[in-house]
Amino acid sequence: MASLVILLGAAATASSQYVPMPWAYVQNEPPVQVKVNAGVRYQTMMGGGCSGAFGVACDQTGSRGLSAANQQLVSDYLFSENIGGLSILRNRIGSSPTDGILGSCPASPSAPANYTFGSDEDTADSCQLKLTRQALKANPDLFVYADAWSAPGCFKTDATDINGGFICGVRGSNCTHDWRQAYADYLVQYVKEYEQRGIKIGMLGAYNEPDFNPVTYASMDSDGYQAKDFLEVLYPTVKKYRKDLLVSCCDATGARQERDILYELESAGGGHLYDVATWHNYQSEPKEKFNTQGQPNLQTEWSDGSGNWNDTWDTTGQLAEGFQWALYMHNAFTRSDTSGYLHWWCSQDNNGGSGSDAVLIRLQGDSFDVSARLWAFAGYFRFARPGAVRIDAASSVETLYVSAFENTNGTVAIPVINAAHFERDVDIELAGCNLKKHTAVAYLADNTHNNTKVASYQIRGSGFKVSVPPRSLTTFFVE
Ligand SMILES: *[C@@H]1O[C@H](CO)[C@@H](O)[C@H](O)[C@H]1NC(C)=O
Ligand SMILES: *[C@@H]1O[C@H](CO)[C@@H](O)[C@H](O)[C@H]1NC(C)=O
Ligand SMILES: *[C@@H]1O[C@H](CO)[C@@H](O)[C@H](O)[C@H]1NC(C)=O
Ligand SMILES: *[C@@H]1O[C@H](CO)[C@@H](O)[C@H](O)[C@H]1NC(C)=O
Ligand SMILES: *[C@@H]1O[C@H](CO)[C@@H](O)[C@H](O)[C@H]1NC(C)=O
């Protein structure tokens, strides 16, 4: 098992010359000019994350043989600030009589609801309670996003929590009762159950992919007009309970699909009824700014989903490889001002099978493998912490992708993706930064490094000169 000490590599120090890294490729062009300017500011970052929904939290909390020590180690890999750097856990609010918090339906919306939350700490909430506790140990500032895939069936037009259907009470529904308030109360009750167990939930969502209705698992339809009809009940209910509990909308299947819902929501007069626009990257990638009314946007679920387990960084440019994920994140952060990025599942044990690309960490009994995708997340989120503000960063060449983030304490993270197949010299020029130590440290992710510290620099004047290896993500942490 790999040790927790992942900051390997000898550090070199230099002032105004390029520090050669321990590899050599030929560059046939002048140094790339990178300009970072803290005077031009964009979105505030929320963080990176993953989910233990649909019972995979049980795998990570020991149901298939992962020992207690390795359970915590896997959580540390994902959520420790010094390893994976993730800070968001997306929990699924169950909706069936067995995985939700309502065993049976009240007779009418005004009858009292009989909520239940498992009493066994290890298995309650499909093991998500235990996973949340382990993640909190790895990261005490963990942000929990509680998200429902559907309302309980008895609150819906199709009387089941699978196969789409609408919440009773929204336009286009045809039920005897209006169950909107009951569903809003149900969602808030889930947050209260965690609160009673000492865990603060940061954001609440009523939808998962409302533009898609799978027959076989929890799902519920909504367009933006119907979302307005429900959010006008949910939003005040949430704010009455706790002002700083954020409300999301609406975890659509793609960036474009989310834009459509937001457009309708705003047309219906509900553009102010959510705090964070949440979307998935399955059906479409973000290409432009989101049409919010100033609210941030967050990519809350994605994985290749169709492939076998793949833990490589960059071999053939395959979708699930780490290098590609670095580019996906760069594009979302810079084109669409996205505030964070969540992988679909955190981990899963495939019971002897080869495993899938839907997870960041593959579990096999008491051992585990970490995908290079986690090192792409780490290259951003270990160094650009929640609350960091993205600042302007420009590169003089197309195949060197640069972004920059100023942390709340003034330190600056500069993730640099070199998509070229040769090593590159880069001049990084800083403007408007309020540095204290005037040092930069380079952390490298590529085929042979996991965000390993590879070099450090003294900054004299307004910048420093570096060199970055081919097909890599190097994050410069500037103090
Ligand atoms: C509430 O639900 C629990 C578990 O589903 C059940 O045992 C109990 O009888 C119910 N109470 C009422 C008042 O219906
Ligand atoms: C109510 O709407 C659902 C979902 O659209 C539909 O399946 C059902 O037939 C409708 N029922 C009535 C009585 O119109
Ligand atoms: C990951 O995918 C690439 C490209 O298809 C392939 O070359 C590599 O062997 C895969 N890695 C694993 C561990 O399957
Ligand atoms: C880096 O990740 C690879 C792939 O999971 C693994 O083989 C290696 O042990 C890791 N190294 C460290 C230092 O964690
Ligand atoms: C500033 O914040 C970053 C990110 O949380 C942290 O890594 C760094 O140690 C902090 N620096 C100081 C001087 O507090």
Side-chain angles (χ1 to χ4, degrees), residues 185-440:
D185 292 343
Y186 180 89
L187 295 170
V188 168
Q189 181 65 29
Y190 180 93
V191 177
K192 289 181 180 166
E193 298 288 347
Y194 271 75
E195 184 187 77
Q196 282 160 21
R197 290 162 180 82
I199 297 170
K200 185 172 178 182
I201 286 180
M203 183 161 74
L204 185 60
Y207 300 103
N208 173 75
E209 303 182 355
D211 54 316
F212 173 61
N213 54 5
V215 176
T216 56
Y217 62 90
S219 62
M220 183 170 75
D221 298 314
S222 180
D223 62 21
Y225 296 98
Q226 293 166 317
K228 190 263 181 184
D229 297 341
F230 178 62
L231 291 174
E232 72 187 4
V233 176
L234 178 66
Y235 199 79
T237 302
V238 165
K239 298 301 170 182
K240 189 175 163 206
Y241 163 64
R242 210 182 80 206
K243 279 208 161 47
D244 69 346
L245 175 58
L246 304 178
V247 174
S248 70
C249 169
C250 284
D251 283 78
T253 56
R256 179 167 46 76
Q257 288 74 6
E258 176 74 12
R259 289 179 58 86
D260 289 351
I261 290 178
L262 295 177
Y263 172 77
E264 294 173 350
L265 180 60
E266 188 176 341
S267 309
H272 57 292
L273 295 173
Y274 68 97
D275 300 305
V276 180
T278 47
W279 53 279
H280 301 174
N281 198 61
Y282 293 103
Q283 306 263 31
S284 54
E285 288 184 353
K287 297 201 166 86
E288 54 195 320
K289 309 260 181 279
F290 277 87
N291 47 340
T292 67
Q293 298 191 351
Q295 293 98 326
N297 78 85
L298 189 66
Q299 196 286 120
T300 47
E301 182 188 320
W302 192 40
S303 70
D304 182 25
S306 52
N308 287 333
W309 169 249
N310 190 300
D311 61 8
T312 50
W313 174 261
D314 182 58
T315 56
T316 58
Q318 197 247 20
L319 273 181
E321 292 193 285
F323 183 76
Q324 299 301 317
W325 278 72
L327 285 169
Y328 302 141
M329 284 187 251
H330 169 87
N331 286 340
F333 300 155
T334 58
R335 291 180 187 168
S336 301
D337 289 350
T338 296
S339 289
Y341 216 82
L342 277 64
H343 197 267
W344 173 212
W345 278 325
C346 303
S347 72
Q348 187 184 25
D349 186 319
N350 292 82
N351 217 7
S354 59
S356 93
D357 276 340
V359 304
L360 286 170
I361 298 185
R362 176 176 66 171
L363 312 175
Q364 292 183 310
D366 192 28
S367 65
F368 64 88
D369 306 297
V370 179
S371 73
R373 270 166 280 134
L374 183 63
W375 308 127
F377 279 87
Y380 287 92
F381 296 114
R382 260 183 73 184
F383 308 103
R385 302 298 295 165
V389 172
R390 186 169 75 83
I391 57 179
D392 203 46
S395 157
S396 63
V397 306
E398 183 161 344
T399 52
L400 193 94
Y401 300 85
V402 186
S403 55
F405 306 86
E406 187 180 69
N407 283 305
T408 51
N409 66 8
T411 56
V412 175
I414 310 174
V416 174
I417 300 171
N418 181 14
H421 289 261
F422 49 84
E423 181 177 8
R424 221 159 198 169
D425 292 339
V426 184
D427 294 347
I428 300 180
E429 174 97 13
L430 304 168
C433 303
N434 181 17
L435 303 183
K436 300 205 171 77
K437 289 201 206 157
H438 299 268
T439 57

Side-chain angles (χ1 to χ4, degrees), residues 113-130:
N114 178 18
Y115 296 117
T116 57
F117 194 89
S119 54
D120 178 346
E121 275 275 315
D122 284 350
T123 58
D125 196 28
S126 307
C127 309
Q128 293 177 115
L129 176 65
K130 188 174 177 188

